[in-house]
Amino acid sequence: MRKILSYDSVLVRLFNTVTNIMLVNILWILCSIPIVTMGAATTAAYYVFYHNITGEDEAVIKPFFKAFKQSYRQATLLWLPLLLIGVVLVLDVMFLLANYMNTFHVLWIATAVIGLLYLIVISHCFAIMGRFDAPIKLLIRNCLLIFLLNFIRSFAILLLTVTLPLVLIFMPQLVTDTLPLWLILMFGLSIYLNARMFLISFDKSAVKTDGMITEENGYDSI
């Protein structure tokens, strides 16, 4: 019994991980409520999980707000244009569905290509920002580079990232029926699973490109 409840036991580590995921989930929701702060909240969530997973830091609340505060400017400068582009893409798809549902139009191809690039960037940029300190131009370039170098893993990350918003939009009744899970677990779990895959991608991509990304972000001076 003592062995099961020891600090290094699987049960205790699992309990700590689930607790951290729930804490991050709550913090992420609270810090994303203004919408314009969602980029910084996502960056902070990734920052916490990276340090939890690697054993660099097991704390949650203090590191989250530290990363949120120090990444706020850059994350918001990136998030707001992405938010606007996302709205434009949705309106574009609605227009195409209303006018070219059963016919081919070149806008379908253009929208699909731009939409794919958009999803790659939005599913990768804040994850990279949570681990590395780099200018926005380099972050966007690395989004595409990591996606190409780790296609299967990155595609899984992309799908996991877009699944929750799609469920929120198209399955509101399911969300209502499972609301407690969304409030305490779902968003944090999604970011946590992505963080584990991203850490593998970062290692492999850095080896393949001889130090592709700039120095690790300790959020001491951004």
Side-chain angles (χ1 to χ4, degrees), residues 53-71:
I53 293 168
T54 59
E56 298 169 67
D57 190 353
E58 296 182 0
V60 171
I61 298 176
K62 185 176 179 180
F64 183 94
F65 284 110
K66 178 183 177 183
F68 179 87
K69 179 182 178 181
Q70 296 191 20
S71 68

Side-chain angles (χ1 to χ4, degrees), residues 174-187:
L174 175 62
V175 175
T176 301
D177 294 340
T178 58
L179 188 58
L181 283 177
W182 290 81
L183 294 177
I184 65 172
L185 186 65
M186 297 300 289
F187 298 108

Side-chain angles (χ1 to χ4, degrees), residues 66-90:
K66 178 183 177 183
F68 179 87
K69 179 182 178 181
Q70 296 191 20
S71 68
Y72 179 81
R73 183 177 181 277
Q74 186 182 39
T76 304
L77 285 174
L78 182 57
W79 165 245
L80 291 181
L82 287 175
L83 180 61
L84 179 60
I85 293 170
V87 172
V88 172
L89 283 171
V90 170

Side-chain angles (χ1 to χ4, degrees), residues 114-202:
I114 295 172
L116 177 59
L117 293 174
Y118 174 80
L119 290 176
I120 292 172
V121 171
I122 203 167
S123 63
H124 284 59
C125 62
F126 301 109
I128 297 173
M129 195 181 300
R131 190 64 175 172
F132 299 97
D133 185 9
I136 290 177
K137 183 179 180 180
L138 183 59
L139 283 170
I140 294 175
R141 191 200 75 177
N142 285 332
C143 289
L144 303 177
L145 190 57
I146 287 176
F147 185 84
L148 293 175
L149 292 175
N150 306 271
F151 180 77
I152 296 178
R153 191 180 301 107
S154 290
F155 192 73
I157 289 170
L158 189 154
L159 290 178
L160 188 57
T161 301
V162 302
T163 294
L164 295 188
L166 290 177
V167 172
L168 283 170
I169 295 170
F170 296 106
M171 305 177 70
Q173 187 57 50
L174 175 62
V175 175
T176 301
D177 294 340
T178 58
L179 188 58
L181 283 177
W182 290 81
L183 294 177
I184 65 172
L185 186 65
M186 297 300 289
F187 298 108
L189 180 61
S190 175
I191 297 173
Y192 174 81
L193 294 175
N194 280 348
R196 296 196 71 92
M197 290 188 282
F198 269 119
L199 285 173
I200 299 173
S201 295
F202 292 156

